[in-house]
Amino acid sequence: MGYTNDDVVAPHPILSREKIVPEEQIVSDGDERAMDAWGFRDSGFVVGDDGKVTMKGSRYVISGKRLPYLLPWMSRVLGVEIDPHDVATDQYPPPIPEPIRNEKFILVMQENLDTEQLDERPEVRLRHGHGHTLEDLWDIHHGDVRRVPDLVVYPRDEAQARLVVQAAHEHDVVIIPYGGGTNVSNALRCPPEEKRMILSVDLREMRRVRWIDPVENTACIEAGAVGQEIQDLLAGYGYTLGHEPDSIELSTLGGWIATNASGMKKNRYGNIEDIVVDVTAVSTEGELVRSCVGPRESIAIDPRRLLFGSEGGWALITSAVVKIFPLPEIQRYDSVLFHTFEDGVQFAYDLARSEIAIPASVRLVDNLQFQFSQALKTDEEGSGLLSRIQKWLVVRFFRFDPARMVACTLVFEGSRETVAQQRKLVRRLARRHRGMVAGPENGRRGYAMTFAIAYIRDFAMTRYILGESLETSVSWRDVLPLCERVKARVHREYAAMELPGRPFVTCRVTQLYTTGVCIYFYLAFYCKGVEHPAAAFVELEKAARDEILAAGGSLSHHHGIGKLRAGFLDRIHSPASITILERVENVLNPEGVFGAANHRARSGTPTGV
């Protein structure tokens, strides 16, 4: 018996929906960004005539508010007296090398691109030659810059991107891709020995959301689109990308792929490799593009997968198809206080291994970071009657020791039923590990402060405090020993180097897995009077990284390798693995057109040491 025309089922209304092509598009915010510091020109920490710190601007929860406790707390922790009005001499911008010009290549660019797509201004070239490591910022403000890109070009579509790469290949010009410039691995540093013209390919004009597919829950987005702008545009259509690194205001989709990034809500939405379903890129061999994309494939070795973690090494990422998710029905925050970091880690372990889906984000800070959060309280937050009562209850009634207590902040996203179930789980596990639920406002403030805190490192440098973050991933078994060993190692090295005061070394757990966690360390010290402060910091950071590896941690969880960590690669790869990696890189980029030279310093000593 066969089917008749009457048996044919009409297409379901949902499955017949067309792709959405957004009418509005993301507009470049390049002019709003600071050239010599993190973030935006209108924001940052300043000291008033009264010696108190204030955050200027209006972007963040503490903008325009006084922070009277910050500098006194820094003085106590670092063991030195910080004069709020004693400011380090700043030489920005430093002398910038004259550009090397490849006239044949420049002629091709002038014939095919508009004038405003080519930029030779010295400060623009300087900005495209560094990211945001301590070394990067020190060199542009107090040190020496030996090499920067010779020209910056802004392609507007994939055809122009192909033209740029092809012309660079034909005329022996070096390409270094540029996204948001937020890397903390020295990845954008130009090799000083490079004699060819270096071209920075800035993708800020390639930031369109080309289409949104409401049937497949996917979107095609160009690589230069900035994270926060992606989120804002998708939200207008009822979707979210879900990938929210701490740098979301500045970093780009292409940069996330190139560094194999992770975000604060990876528990719900996944890491970047889970979110991206297709990538388009341009290499010297041509464009990497596919005719179709299925939900999963087995197609032998997929060259596109080599783009994850490639750090600009062999291709220019131009666009990607990504998973998108309906906006959650509700979003809730919460926080829990624990008597010790050990209690907090045990709580996180039980949470990660629960059969119930865990909250979108879980962050656990150690005691020193908890103190730091208290030092960032404003006049209003720190002096009110309610604040004093709360402190009395926590310390005297519930017997939390201010010198040992820690905090965990959480974000819940999903349906009302899912969030209610997750919050019930959190409370049950908190009780099991002597935790006290501290409420949604503390959790909300903790996450909101993430973006403002990023400005402190540059402010601290103006007061002779050098600081940097470094991250790792580690198995559950090694979490506590690793944290203790790294802190102890830093203190030993610091004493041996006879540096002033005491080091600031602290950690937090930022991402949970069933098999382990991601840990962020923050390292800082007071450098006034130190002869070569940046070099001393590099030595201290090198020691911390050495101890991380010795204690079972990974070389990086999501920051990448760049040049800063390349000297440690032979600690994590066997000689055979190193040989294979070198051969693959040589095949993919034989003439060195993609010339950032990341992952190449394999002598066992990180660049700059």
Side-chain angles (χ1 to χ4, degrees):
M1 183 173 65
Y3 291 104
T4 69
N5 289 338
D6 294 335
D7 297 315
V8 176
V9 179
H12 192 283
I14 294 178
L15 298 182
S16 62
R17 292 172 65 185
E18 297 292 329
K19 291 180 180 179
I20 301 167
V21 179
E23 293 183 5
E24 69 277 26
Q25 282 298 337
I26 299 168
V27 179
S28 173
D29 65 355
D31 293 338
E32 300 178 24
R33 300 187 185 193
M35 294 285 283
D36 62 334
W38 180 268
F40 299 96
R41 297 175 187 268
D42 61 4
S43 299
F45 292 92
V46 294
V47 172
D49 294 337
D50 60 357
K52 306 300 182 183
V53 177
T54 302
M55 189 172 197
K56 64 180 183 178
S58 59
R59 291 177 183 266
Y60 305 102
V61 292
I62 58 172
S63 294
K65 299 178 180 178
R66 290 201 327 161
L67 307 173
Y69 315 106
L70 181 59
L71 284 180
W73 180 81
M74 286 182 171
S75 292
R76 289 196 301 272
V77 170
L78 295 172
V80 295
E81 188 62 36
I82 299 173
D83 182 348
H85 300 295
D86 184 10
V87 180
T89 303
D90 190 345
Q91 70 170 29
Y92 181 86
I96 300 170
E98 288 296 316
I100 296 172
R101 294 176 60 87
N102 183 315
E103 298 298 343
K104 292 182 178 179
F105 174 81
I106 292 174
L107 180 61
V108 174
M109 295 296 99
Q110 291 174 339
E111 290 176 343
N112 290 276
L113 303 180
D114 294 336
T115 303
E116 61 268 23
Q117 291 180 263
L118 306 174
D119 202 331
E120 288 185 294
R121 288 176 294 172
E123 288 190 34
V124 173
R125 292 169 45 229
L126 173 65
R127 178 62 190 94
H128 286 75
H130 70 83
H132 280 280
T133 64
L134 183 280
E135 287 179 278
D136 285 331
L137 274 297
W138 178 267
D139 283 351
I140 66 171
H141 286 280
H142 310 285
D144 177 43
V145 177
R146 297 171 58 191
R147 191 77 165 88
V148 298
D150 303 300
L151 177 66
V152 180
V153 62
Y154 305 93
R156 291 175 178 157
D157 53 37
E158 283 178 338
Q160 290 188 350
R162 290 194 299 271
L163 169 72
V164 170
V165 173
Q166 181 182 0
H169 189 203
E170 291 177 356
H171 296 289
D172 201 23
V173 169
V174 171
I175 288 176
I176 298 182
Y178 183 94
T182 60
N183 77 86
V184 287
S185 63
N186 288 346
L188 286 174
R189 287 198 164 209
C190 299
E193 68 278 4
E194 181 59 71
K195 304 303 181 186
R196 296 173 293 176
M197 179 180 179
I198 298 178
L199 178 71
S200 176
V201 183
D202 187 323
L203 296 177
R204 73 175 58 180
E205 297 300 325
M206 294 184 62
R207 55 202 299 130
R208 290 175 289 277
V209 176
R210 294 180 183 166
W211 49 257
I212 298 168
D213 191 329
V215 175
E216 309 296 345
N217 277 9
T218 56
C220 181
I221 305 174
E222 293 180 340
V226 172
Q228 188 60 61
E229 298 163 343
I230 295 173
Q231 294 286 67
D232 292 345
L233 189 145
L234 290 179
Y237 293 89
Y239 293 99
T240 180
L241 185 63
H243 185 76
E244 296 187 15
D246 290 0
S247 61
I248 189 172
E249 296 176 298
L250 305 162
S251 57
T252 64
L253 174 59
W256 299 341
I257 297 169
T259 55
N260 206 27
S262 180
M264 67 175 75
K265 295 179 181 176
K266 77 92 195 161
N267 296 339
R268 176 171 172 82
Y269 303 104
N271 290 316
I272 194 65
E273 68 271 21
D274 305 308
I275 295 171
V276 173
V277 295
D278 191 24
V279 185
T280 298
V282 181
S283 75
T284 56
E285 297 296 323
E287 190 174 37
L288 282 73
V289 64
R290 292 281 307 286
S291 59
C292 65
V293 181
R296 187 182 185 278
E297 301 172 297
S298 178
I299 55 170
I301 297 174
D302 186 348
R304 297 169 305 160
R305 290 294 167 188
L306 298 176
L307 293 166
F308 289 88
S310 59
E311 296 185 357
W314 68 279
L316 178 67
I317 298 168
T318 54
S319 66
V321 176
V322 296
K323 298 176 186 177
I324 56 175
F325 305 85
L327 287 171
E329 182 181 358
I330 60 171
Q331 181 186 73
R332 295 288 184 268
Y333 294 88
D334 214 339
S335 59
V336 182
L337 297 179
F338 293 98
H339 287 271
T340 67
F341 189 61
E342 291 79 2
D343 290 336
V345 170
Q346 288 294 332
F347 161 81
Y349 174 79
D350 286 352
L351 185 62
R353 299 178 71 84
S354 168
E355 293 183 358
I356 298 173
I358 65 176
S361 180
V362 180
R363 290 186 169 187
L364 172 70
V365 301
D366 69 2
N367 177 257
L368 193 55
Q369 275 196 56
F370 175 73
Q371 292 182 36
F372 181 41
S373 70
Q374 302 308 297
L376 286 168
K377 285 191 173 182
T378 64
D379 278 325
E380 298 87 348
E381 293 172 318
S383 60
L385 176 63
L386 182 59
S387 176
R388 293 197 297 271
I389 293 174
Q390 288 172 336
K391 185 175 181 179
W392 183 87
L393 284 172
V394 170
V395 175
R396 297 294 180 88
F397 187 79
F398 292 106
R399 299 193 179 281
F400 281 81
D401 182 352
R404 299 190 69 198
M405 62 188 294
V406 303
C408 179
T409 53
L410 306 103
V411 179
F412 305 85
E413 290 188 355
S415 67
R416 293 184 181 278
E417 293 77 12
T418 297
V419 168
Q421 187 181 42
Q422 290 175 345
R423 297 182 76 183
K424 184 177 180 181
L425 171 67
V426 165
R427 281 160 169 71
R428 176 166 59 83
L429 294 180
R431 288 194 299 271
R432 179 186 299 177
H433 297 288
R434 305 190 299 154
M436 184 181 80
V437 175
E441 286 306 314
N442 287 317
R444 182 180 290 106
R445 182 183 186 275
Y447 280 94
M449 286 291 290
T450 296
F451 307 110
I453 288 173
Y455 290 82
I456 286 183
R457 197 273 300 272
D458 293 338
F459 165 75
M461 188 182 294
T462 67
R463 266 66 186 177
Y464 301 98
I465 301 169
L466 303 188
E468 184 63 280
S469 66
L470 56 156
E471 35 66 75
T472 185
S473 60
V474 64
S475 67
W476 283 108
R477 187 184 304 278
D478 294 324
V479 171
L480 293 173
L482 182 144
C483 293
E484 293 169 2
R485 286 179 58 172
V486 172
K487 292 178 181 180
R489 174 73 179 273
V490 168
H491 280 274
R492 290 198 307 272
E493 297 286 341
Y494 197 82
M497 295 168 71
E498 299 183 342
L499 294 168
R502 295 183 294 270
F504 174 85
V505 54
T506 178
C507 67
R508 68 177 179 179
V509 172
T510 61
Q511 278 106 327
L512 307 185
Y513 299 86
T514 56
T515 56
V517 303
C518 170
I519 300 174
Y520 256 89
F521 285 93
Y522 295 85
L523 177 64
F525 70 89
Y526 187 73
C527 71
K528 188 171 184 179
V530 177
E531 188 173 0
H532 299 293
F537 188 91
V538 170
E539 286 290 342
L540 205 60
E541 184 181 23
K542 175 190 172 186
R545 180 64 61 183
D546 176 74
E547 196 66 30
I548 285 172
L549 295 178
S554 68
L555 186 52
S556 176
H557 174 260
H558 60 269
H559 281 168
I561 304 301
K563 303 175 186 68
L564 185 64
R565 302 179 181 91
F568 289 108
L569 281 172
D570 59 3
R571 292 272 298 273
I572 65 170
H573 290 305
S574 68
S577 296
I578 292 289
T579 298
I580 290 172
L581 289 173
E582 289 175 341
R583 288 177 178 174
V584 168
E585 289 181 1
N586 289 335
V587 169
L588 295 174
N589 187 34
E591 293 91 5
V593 171
F594 288 89
N598 295 319
H599 315 158
R600 293 298 179 94
R602 298 194 173 109
S603 63
T605 302
T607 300
V609 176

